[in-house]
Amino acid sequence: MIIISGDSWGVGEWGTDPKTRQTCSVTGPGIGQYLSLHDKVVNLSEGGCGNTDSFLYLRAFLSRFKANEKDIFYFIVTDPLRNVESLTDINQGIEQAIRLQLDRVLKKLNQLATSHKIHINLIGGVCDLDTVDITSYNNLKI
C-alpha cells in the first residue's frame, strides 16, 4: 500500500476549469490517482495544508494503522512559510528561520518514521529539497 501525506500537490492538478472558468479547482488527477494505477493508495493530502498539519495527519493515521515492510510512504514537503505563525527564530534572519522551521518538521517526521520502523520518501512540492540536508535523518529519503 502507498500512503501519501501533503498539500494540494497530493490532491490533484489545480487550475482553471475550462468548462466553468472557475479558478482554484481540481482540473486533473494528482499523484495519488497516478500511483493508484499500480497499488492501493491512502491519500491524506489536503489543499493548502502546511507541513505541520500533514505531519499530524500522518501521525494520526499511524496511530491506527500498523505499517508493514511493503508499505511505501510519501510526504509532500510544502512551503515552510505556511506555518508562519510558528516562526519564532525570526531575529536570526528570515532564511535561517525558514530552515529551522523545516528542520523541526523533518526531525518530528524522522522520529515518527523511526518509531514505526518505516522510511518516508520526501517529495519537494512547494519547497525545493535540493539544498536540504537530511543526512542526520536516517528514515527519510529525498
Side-chain angles (χ1 to χ4, degrees):
M1 184 179 319
I2 297 172
I3 298 91
I4 305 165
S5 190
D7 63 357
S8 58
W9 284 47
V11 176
E13 179 183 335
W14 290 77
T16 303
D17 187 326
K19 293 179 185 173
T20 64
R21 296 185 190 266
Q22 181 181 10
T23 58
C24 296
S25 62
V26 178
T27 59
I31 189 171
Q33 287 93 339
Y34 288 117
L35 292 174
S36 71
L37 297 172
H38 303 285
D39 203 350
K40 302 278 188 235
V41 173
V42 174
N43 194 344
L44 307 171
S45 302
E46 179 181 318
C49 198
N51 292 321
T52 300
D53 289 330
S54 295
F55 163 78
L56 293 173
Y57 293 151
L58 182 57
R59 186 178 72 181
F61 176 79
L62 286 170
S63 72
R64 296 185 300 258
F65 172 79
K66 178 148 176 48
N68 68 43
E69 66 281 347
K70 293 183 181 180
D71 293 325
I72 302 169
F73 290 83
Y74 293 101
F75 189 90
I76 302 169
V77 183
T78 193
D79 181 358
L81 287 177
R82 286 194 175 168
N83 298 110
V84 71
E85 71 278 356
S86 60
L87 280 177
T88 56
D89 305 302
I90 200 72
N91 59 347
Q92 296 180 6
I94 189 72
E95 185 176 342
Q96 183 64 19
I98 292 168
R99 286 202 180 268
L100 287 171
Q101 176 65 26
L102 181 58
D103 283 339
R104 282 188 194 104
V105 170
L106 294 178
K107 182 177 180 180
K108 289 179 186 179
L109 195 59
N110 189 64
Q111 290 169 340
L112 181 68
T114 302
S115 68
H116 287 275
K117 297 178 174 75
I118 61 172
H119 286 89
I120 299 174
N121 299 289
L122 304 176
I123 298 173
V126 188
C127 180
D128 262 342
L129 296 179
D130 58 348
T131 62
V132 176
D133 180 13
I134 63 163
T135 54
S136 62
Y137 305 127
N138 297 331
N139 290 60
L140 304 181
K141 293 185 208 176
I142 294 179

